Amino acid sequence: MEVIKIEKSILYILFILTASIILGGCSIEYNINTDSVKDFKKDLMEVSDTIKSVKVTFVRPQVTYTVNMTEEPTQEVLDAILEKAKSFTTVENMEKIARKVRWNLRVSKVHLRINTDGDRDIEHEYYTWYYRTADATDTSPENIDAYQT
């Protein structure tokens, strides 16, 4: 009887350890609220009354701006959101975000996602990369886009 209890305890401990290792290896989503991000979010909120929230997150190796709206934006509002996102997406700002979450590499991709109706589907999505190709080891000037495209 006692041997069975010990075996169950060992199996239980092994299960907990395995689950911890698996969960610990997953990427963590960080909500970013640096001073510059707070200013960026405030600027976006001022674009239109239909913007109900803005979230900036980091999941290695990318940053995502999520804009939640109450309705489909006009082209002018969409253009204004995109312009503010472009202005904020600089090498300097991405380096600040990377340092905040202790990411020692470049933020390789930046997403702008706009949800206009409160469901899980993203109606508008834009993205940019630091590198022109998928090869992040190629740091030649020809491979650096620096979020310009």
Side-chain angles (χ1 to χ4, degrees):
M1 279 276 206
E2 208 164 303
V3 173
I4 293 173
K5 284 183 183 180
I6 292 172
E7 287 178 6
K8 282 184 178 180
S9 295
I10 291 172
L11 286 174
Y12 182 71
I13 290 170
L14 287 174
F15 175 76
I16 297 277
L17 287 173
T18 303
S20 297
I21 290 169
I22 290 170
L23 292 175
C26 296
S27 294
I28 298 170
E29 180 178 86
Y30 296 91
N31 286 320
I32 308 299
N33 283 309
T34 62
D35 290 340
S36 60
V37 167
K38 288 177 186 175
D39 291 342
F40 169 59
K41 290 163 76 170
K42 182 181 174 211
D43 286 346
L44 279 176
M45 293 293 290
E46 291 172 356
V47 167
S48 172
D49 292 337
T50 62
I51 297 175
K52 65 180 182 180
S53 68
V54 177
K55 186 176 176 184
V56 177
T57 57
F58 173 88
V59 176
R60 64 180 183 177
Q62 67 187 27
V63 169
T64 301
Y65 314 142
T66 304
V67 179
N68 292 301
M69 304 184 73
T70 57
E71 62 186 43
E72 182 67 32
T74 64
Q75 190 60 49
E76 289 174 335
V77 169
L78 203 54
D79 291 343
I81 292 169
L82 187 55
E83 190 55 43
K84 291 198 180 287
K86 283 181 182 180
S87 296
F88 180 75
T89 308
T90 64
V91 172
E92 180 183 352
N93 283 335
M94 294 306 106
E95 286 177 348
K96 285 180 186 177
I97 289 172
R99 281 194 303 272
K100 177 76 174 171
V101 297
R102 296 186 186 120
W103 179 251
N104 296 323
L105 302 171
R106 296 273 183 200
V107 170
S108 62
K109 190 174 188 180
V110 179
H111 281 265
L112 168 61
R113 296 179 172 168
I114 302 173
N115 185 319
T116 63
D117 56 11
D119 63 7
R120 290 188 174 267
D121 295 330
I122 301 298
E123 285 75 30
H124 304 275
E125 185 169 13
Y126 305 89
Y127 47 88
T128 185
W129 292 275
Y130 181 80
Y131 299 102
R132 292 181 197 270
T133 68
D135 184 3
T137 62
D138 179 2
T139 58
S140 67
E142 296 80 28
N143 194 38
I144 306 297
D145 186 55
Y147 319 112
Q148 296 303 304
T149 305

